[in-house]
Structures are given as C-alpha cells and as structure tokens.
Amino acid sequence: MFSSENKPTNETAIEVENIGKCYTIYDKPRDRLLQMLSRGKKKYYREFWALHDISFTVKKGETIGIIGRNGSGKSTLLQAICGTLTPTQGKIRINGKIAALLELGAGFNPEFTGRENVYMAAALYGLTKNQIDERFDRIASFADIGSHIDQPVKSYSSGMFVRLAFAVIAHVDADILVIDEALAVGDAVFTQKCMRFIRAFKDRGTLLFVSHDISSVINLCQRSIWLHNGNLRQIGQSKAVSDEYLQYTLQEVYGDEVKLERASTKHSEAIPVIPDDSPVVDYEGKFEVIDNLDESNGWKTGAGEILSVRLEHESSNSEQSFQGGENVRMTIRAIAYQNIEKPIIGFLVCDRLGQSLFGENSLPQTDRQPLTISTGETFEAEFLFRLPMLPNGQYVVIASLAEGTLYSHVQHHWLHDALIINVFSSKVRWGLVGVPFQKISLKKLTHPQHTPSH
C-alpha cells in the first residue's frame, strides 16, 4: 500500500520505494457490472501496469531529470509523488512542501476566473488569505496576462494557462518543485523567464524536471531517470543517461533495417579533468586538444567507421595550442565497409553538460556535388572556421558519419567524445561562446540627439 508516513532523513527530499501503478481495463461496459457481481471470483478485466517496481532517492537540493517516450510512465510517476494519484503498491516519502506544474488543466477550475484560481490554488499549497493578498500582485506580474486575470480560465489559451499556473507555484515557498512537459507550450519570452526562475530555485530547493528537450535536461539536471514502458531503465549522470537514450530512440526510428551497436569496447567513465593547480598560461587563454578517439563511445551500424578526428591551425598540419579567434581546420577521416551513396560527415562541439555550442556537416557541399563512396574507400571532410573564445572548462567534440539527406538519414557511426578540449584562461568570458571583438569603446556625447522625458 501507498504510504507517506515516516518522513525521509534530513538529507533526503524524496524516497520512492517499489512504486507500482496498475489500471484495470474493461473491454465492455457490462464487464464492470459482472466484475462487481462476481465478488472477485472471476476477472472480467485486463491489468495494465503503468509503473513497475520503481525505486530511487532524491537528495535535498538535487535536480533530477525524468526522460522517456510518451506512455513510459513519467506523468504517472510525478502524480504519485505529488499525491494526486495513489499507487497500487509501494511507498513514497516526502520531506518538505511540494509544488507541481503537471498537465494542463490540473488544479484549476475552468469556471473560475484566473484571480479566483490563484486564491484557490495558493490556499491548497498552505498559504493564508493574507499571504495570498500580499503576493497577488507579484503573481499577476509574473503571469503577465493582463485583464485576462479576471476572465474564466476556460477562455484561456494553453500558453496563458501555463503562465498563470507557473506564476502560482513560483510564489508558494515550495521546497520541492515538480515540472512536467507543460512548459513546452509557452512562448519564448515566458519560457526564458521560467528558466531563470528554475535556475535560481536550484540553489535553494529540489527539482524534478520532465522534458523531451534533452539539452534542457542535461543543462539543468545533475542526474536523470530514464523510464521505459513503466520500468526504470537507467538512472545516473544526465549526460550518460541521455547518450544511451539517444541511441535507443534512433534504433526505434531505424527499426529492423539498421542495427546500432556499441562503437567501442573501451569506455571512459569520465573525460579527463583539468587539474585544480593548473597554471594560467597567458591572459588570453590556451586550448589544449586531446585525441580521445580510442576511449570515445557511441554506436555504429558497421557500414563505415570514423578513423580520425583532428583540430589544427589552418596553416599547419599538426595539432598545436589555440587561443581562440584564429582560423582552424577540423578534419574527420572515415572508411566505408559497404557502398555509401550519400555520405555525410559532421561534428558538434559541446560543453561539459552536453549542450551543443556549434558544429557543421558536409551536407552544404554534397547537396551540390553528390558523392558515392565504394566499399573499402577512405574519405575525409574538412571544415575551415574561426575558433570561438570559450570560457574556462572542458569541451568535447562529437563526430558522426551518416548516409542520406537532411530529412532522412542513418547515423552509421557516432562518437561522443572524439576530441577533448581543455580551456585555461584568466580572462572572464561571458556566455557559452565568446567571439573576438575588434573594438570596444565608451564615450560621452557632447550633443545628445535625444533627451529622455521624465
């Protein structure tokens, strides 16, 4: 039986122990009556287990991503954790106040106005009327839906609904925040506002985050849970889990036509780290490039293989140190083990969280000049570009060999960490990717053209 008793330890926010959820499915309406009359002597229904024996622990202050295909049990799990659904078996222990943004429509009365729903929802989270009165203007400002706040919720667009729902949970002093895929329907400006709030919340609370946007999961979450058909398929560091999930989803797309296999028997559990006592080489910084091809992991179909990945100065044939801003050459060499009619070679540079910063592939050329590679032939893609200025940290180069077109292709060889780039710098660089500026100036205008009105 489900139990919320016996709160977890002070270091733990959520404990999920052997959770399962079963639904009874009746093929005909009359079967429900027959089942009731049989008093359990005969089954007139089929069982569907939306969750099977799920167990994990979330520490206070931890951010956990939950990924999986539609129907994998993500929303069912979140509803069980939030208490809006009772599991068939298992225990859930919660330590702290929990607030949730689940599927659209949850928690709001469509006949009530936005204002009335704010008071109702906030009261359910434990706020008094005086507390809601004091916070209402901030909630309305965060939602930014104007006069619609006094209109019935049933007249709202999905975006307006999410704005109001998120504004409420952002102002109820929750210890644990649960966010389902609902943010996907928001506009770009509001989504950015929500993400800023989420990043700030991470510093003081616990977050469960469900999304099909794997980059957001890697960016926000330290660990991730991969659910598949109601089972916990994998739990671990977000990048490692996401890599496995990416391979699995591609295999599902390819079906029986292509078989993806592990690309390497070697597997490095973590990329080499920068020593804490590493000296600053110079003010502008230094890029240290490490060939990691032998230790990289990914998948392959057997149709071809990447042989080498090199990053070097445009005017040199050997790898050297880089500062950022100079012209460089990325060269990826591959071999075909069977005929490849429309080869595509590409790369992505990602930060340590797995966020894609920049990259390119050979499609712009092969679309204009089609190329066919025969069995046993080697071929090479060359990319000339200006290296950006990267902040201190670790970066990896993903390399891929594919066949097909932009909209229909098969990844024959995918390597996650083909190159490792360590960046040392004493100069603060803003953003994920910096660019060299030719001039920066600040001056006072003698005769300003416009004087702001007061």
Side-chain angles (χ1 to χ4, degrees):
M1 294 294 292
F2 168 75
S3 173
S4 59
E5 300 177 355
N6 301 322
K7 287 186 178 180
T9 63
N10 289 333
E11 295 77 21
T12 302
I14 302 171
E15 288 184 7
V16 176
E17 181 182 344
N18 306 122
I19 284 299
K21 180 59 180 178
C22 180
Y23 292 96
T24 55
I25 300 175
Y26 294 91
D27 294 327
K28 301 174 183 179
R30 68 174 185 173
D31 289 343
R32 293 181 180 273
L33 177 60
L34 292 174
Q35 182 62 45
M36 182 177 64
L37 296 175
S38 72
R39 297 183 179 181
K41 296 179 180 179
K42 185 177 180 180
K43 286 186 178 181
Y44 292 89
Y45 61 85
R46 292 177 288 111
E47 291 185 347
F48 170 71
W49 285 86
L51 294 175
H52 297 268
D53 197 24
I54 305 294
S55 298
F56 61 90
T57 300
V58 180
K59 296 180 180 179
K60 280 189 175 180
E62 194 173 14
T63 302
I64 300 292
I66 302 178
I67 61 177
R69 299 183 64 184
N70 291 332
S72 61
K74 303 187 300 297
S75 295
T76 303
L77 176 61
L78 293 189
Q79 291 176 46
I81 291 174
C82 294
T84 60
L85 180 150
T86 302
T88 306
Q89 63 184 34
K91 298 179 181 179
I92 296 178
R93 303 180 181 92
I94 304 296
N95 189 4
K97 181 192 289 187
I98 188 167
L101 180 62
L102 302 177
E103 72 273 11
L104 294 180
F108 278 5
N109 187 323
E111 301 297 331
F112 288 3
T113 66
R115 182 183 300 271
E116 292 168 335
N117 271 295
V118 167
Y119 275 85
M120 180 186 71
L124 291 175
Y125 284 122
L127 269 63
T128 66
K129 184 179 184 301
N130 288 339
Q131 288 176 318
I132 303 172
D133 288 340
E134 188 269 330
R135 303 177 194 201
F136 183 83
D137 287 344
R138 281 181 285 158
I139 294 173
S141 175
F142 193 102
D144 193 22
I145 60 175
S147 61
H148 292 284
I149 194 78
D150 289 310
Q151 299 298 319
V153 165
K154 65 182 180 182
S155 66
Y156 286 12
S157 67
S158 58
M160 291 168 58
F161 186 97
V162 168
R163 281 174 171 267
L164 189 61
F166 195 98
V168 172
I169 67 170
H171 291 85
V172 295
D173 300 329
D175 303 303
I176 303 168
L177 200 61
V178 177
I179 299 179
D180 206 341
E181 191 65 28
L183 282 183
V185 302
D187 61 77
V189 174
F190 185 73
T191 299
Q192 288 297 316
K193 181 190 290 189
C194 293
M195 295 304 284
R196 288 194 295 271
F197 170 82
I198 289 172
R199 288 190 174 93
F201 178 84
K202 285 174 57 181
D203 295 332
R204 65 178 188 274
T206 305
L207 176 67
L208 292 185
F209 183 74
V210 173
S211 178
H212 289 291
D213 183 355
I214 299 302
S215 294
S216 294
V217 172
I218 294 174
N219 182 12
L220 287 173
C221 306
Q222 298 135 328
R223 292 193 299 149
S224 287
I225 295 169
W226 173 12
L227 294 181
H228 179 67
N229 291 338
N231 295 289
L232 198 160
R233 183 165 182 136
Q234 187 175 358
I235 183 170
Q237 296 298 310
S238 288
K239 185 178 183 302
V241 175
S242 298
D243 289 348
E244 294 288 343
Y245 179 65
L246 175 61
Q247 177 178 343
Y248 175 82
T249 53
L250 277 179
Q251 183 65 75
E252 289 287 289
V253 171
Y254 298 156
D256 296 332
E257 297 180 5
V258 178
K259 177 64 176 177
L260 301 180
E261 300 175 353
R262 298 301 302 173
S264 175
T265 55
K266 294 183 178 181
H267 178 65
S268 178
E269 293 297 330
I271 63 177
V273 298
I274 301 174
D276 293 336
D277 58 351
S278 298
V280 174
V281 178
D282 57 40
Y283 187 70
E284 294 301 325
K286 175 184 176 181
F287 290 34
E288 178 189 41
V289 179
I290 301 173
D291 186 343
N292 194 54
L293 198 68
D294 290 338
E295 299 294 333
S296 60
N297 63 89
W299 63 80
K300 60 184 178 181
T301 66
E305 183 177 0
I306 295 172
L307 300 177
S308 65
V309 181
R310 300 194 311 274
L311 180 65
E312 56 199 14
H313 285 279
E314 181 182 5
S315 58
S316 172
N317 293 323
S318 61
E319 293 181 357
Q320 300 178 20
S321 62
F322 306 92
Q323 291 184 338
E326 63 265 59
N327 292 329
V328 297
R329 175 190 296 109
M330 179 78 73
T331 306
I332 303 175
R333 181 173 298 175
I335 185 172
Y337 296 135
Q338 65 184 44
N339 292 345
I340 301 179
E341 294 185 0
K342 297 178 180 179
I344 308 169
I345 289 180
F347 75 94
L348 279 173
V349 176
C350 304
D351 65 11
R352 66 181 182 84
L353 296 176
Q355 299 178 101
S356 299
L357 303 183
F358 65 93
E360 189 51 276
N361 59 56
S362 59
L363 271 173
Q365 177 191 351
T366 53
D367 278 347
R368 298 192 306 268
Q369 300 174 338
L371 182 68
T372 297
I373 306 298
S374 300
T375 302
E377 290 185 325
T378 58
F379 52 109
E380 187 175 85
E382 181 180 85
F383 306 90
L384 300 178
F385 58 98
R386 195 173 189 185
L387 192 66
M389 300 168 63
L390 300 175
N392 272 353
Q394 298 174 324
Y395 303 84
V396 297
V397 176
I398 296 174
S400 69
L401 164 62
E403 178 181 12
T405 65
L406 176 62
Y407 302 106
S408 177
H409 58 265
V410 174
Q411 295 284 356
H412 286 311
H413 196 188
W414 180 281
L415 290 174
H416 286 292
D417 308 319
L419 289 182
I420 296 171
I421 303 174
N422 290 333
V423 178
F424 312 84
S425 177
S426 62
K427 188 173 183 178
V428 177
R429 294 169 175 177
W430 305 104
L432 296 177
V433 178
V435 296
F437 288 85
Q438 302 301 319
K439 180 181 179 181
I440 299 176
S441 67
L442 176 66
K443 60 184 179 180
K444 184 176 182 179
L445 299 178
T446 306
H447 301 290
Q449 297 178 348
H450 174 69
T451 302
S453 59
H454 298 283

